[in-house]
Amino acid sequence: MQIAQIRAYNGSNNFKQISTPVSERTYQPQFTSVNPAKVKNTGLYDKFTDWIAKNYYEKFYRSKTAKYILEHTNGEKWNNMTTHMSALGSTLISGMYVIRTLENDKLDPEKRKTLAINDVLTWGVSTACAYFLDSKLAKWWDGVTTRFAANYLLDNKDARRTDVLGEWEAKDLKYMMENWHKHIKADSVEALDLTKLEKKAYSNIRDFNLDVLKNKKLTTLIDGMGVLKSLFVFGMVYRYLVPVLVMKPANMIGKHIHEKKAHNLEQNAQKVDDKSQKVEKKD
Amino acid sequence: MKIDSIKNYPAGALTKQMHGNSLERNEEKSAGAYYDKKSVNRGYYSGSFTGINGAAVNSSYKNLGNTLSDKIFRSKFFQWVDTMFEEQSVIGQALVALVVAGGLRPATNLAMAGKNDKEDSIYAASHAISSAIIGFVVSSIVMAPFGAAFRKIKENPKKYLTGLEEVLGTEIGARKLEKSKAYKKISKIAQFIPDTLVLGIPKAMLTIALIPPILKYVFGMEKGHKKEAPKAPNMAYSKPTLNVTLEKTTGGNK
């Protein structure tokens, strides 16, 4: 079919335009050595970001602090650093509010204590809830991420590495994660790296992508999904679930208790007044 | 054995089985077409697809690309947001706060407010909106260059991280570093530190400063117009004051 189309072009005027003699051709500047991206990135902003990369990131990576942190965070529980940084941020801000409350001269010392304890308890409950929810959602979110990756592969055939793995469809991603090694094209030069890999079934899409698909954009997207989940969970718990759905009823209960106390105090005060009046009358 | 099973498919069987699993279908097409040509079939069509019918059907996504969540996943906007969460995590965090604390929480606060604590709820809503706006604006402006700088490290690690092979536990190279847990961990810490340790407290201060204008321009309440709460005598803490301050303090709990 394609050949027929080419033949048709041969007979058309369009073809003649392509074969214009060199002398009649107009000069077309060749932008082969200028990369538009590079032009865009040579500005002040680029220099500034480069300065940050060198003076902040590079220095931090090379710092003793970074080395110390890495040496002391070897366990599996430290892998999701996004959650720990969210918790650290919350701890610092809550700590600041506690200090401000304790230093507030307008409040009674007793009130300050109560409010400070309340702040600390709120922080504690929020942090515990956030970690709990984040870990509980982890497995489900892995499934969501795999489906997200399948959708990415649906739209990006190149990312499926069909040159190495043969034709397969994105909807069969989970099958491919388990059986990829059965489909390697033995005669493909690009497949050499895959043949060296351990023939294992992958349960994690990130690992499968890193080892088999090797798509850099997909790695970023998969990592982004993990960050999105953790930040959403922590944001929801810290800023919505606890302050609105927990604190509101807690405040209502607190109000009720205080009203009851105030009522009792008033009644007691009245009784004392009545007694003292009776004593005065007797005298 | 499996190749034989492909060979035994009757003519027309391929079109009849189009509803089946796509892997199987592809394999049938390929195997059917190329099975007899030994020059083409060099062994990688082992026929394995034909032996996993059940497994493949069970593990394949039904209706991929057509459900609402799939359409969201496939959208360029979602993928842009997703990339931002990875490369500009602090801005991502501020975006979540903007949606949750700037929209969802004030709406719920005001919806749940009774007659007696309406003003308290407005105050709490103002605090939440203020906190969300300040967080998002400050983080976006200040952290955007940090995000761009981080992308440079990610794209050209050899320029910045050479010599850190031992610390990061891998050779320095974009692909190698993707697999390094140490690199992933320390990168996330590096991304969050400017916001968490440097901007966190100034942002909280700015949040408090922004409450009066929000009260005035969003809710039409002037500062100081808040009704004086009746104080219960001889109590350690009067309930309305406690209530307001609690909402204030929990509002800054992030």
Side-chain angles (χ1 to χ4, degrees), chain B residues 101-146:
Chain B
L104 201 57
R105 181 167 152 189
T108 315
N109 265 340
L110 294 172
M112 284 171 75
K115 280 179 187 172
N116 296 332
D117 59 350
K118 186 139 195 176
E119 286 186 12
D120 291 345
S121 297
I122 289 176
Y123 190 92
S126 301
H127 187 285
I129 294 171
S130 167
S131 167
I133 292 173
I134 286 291
F136 187 71
V137 171
V138 173
S139 296
S140 299
I141 293 170
V142 179
M143 294 309 297
F146 280 86

Side-chain angles (χ1 to χ4, degrees), chain A residues 5 8 17 95 118 122 186 188 263 271:
Chain A
Q5 280 178 348
Q17 284 175 358
N118 217 301
T122 307
S188 167
H263 184 68
K271 279 179 188 172

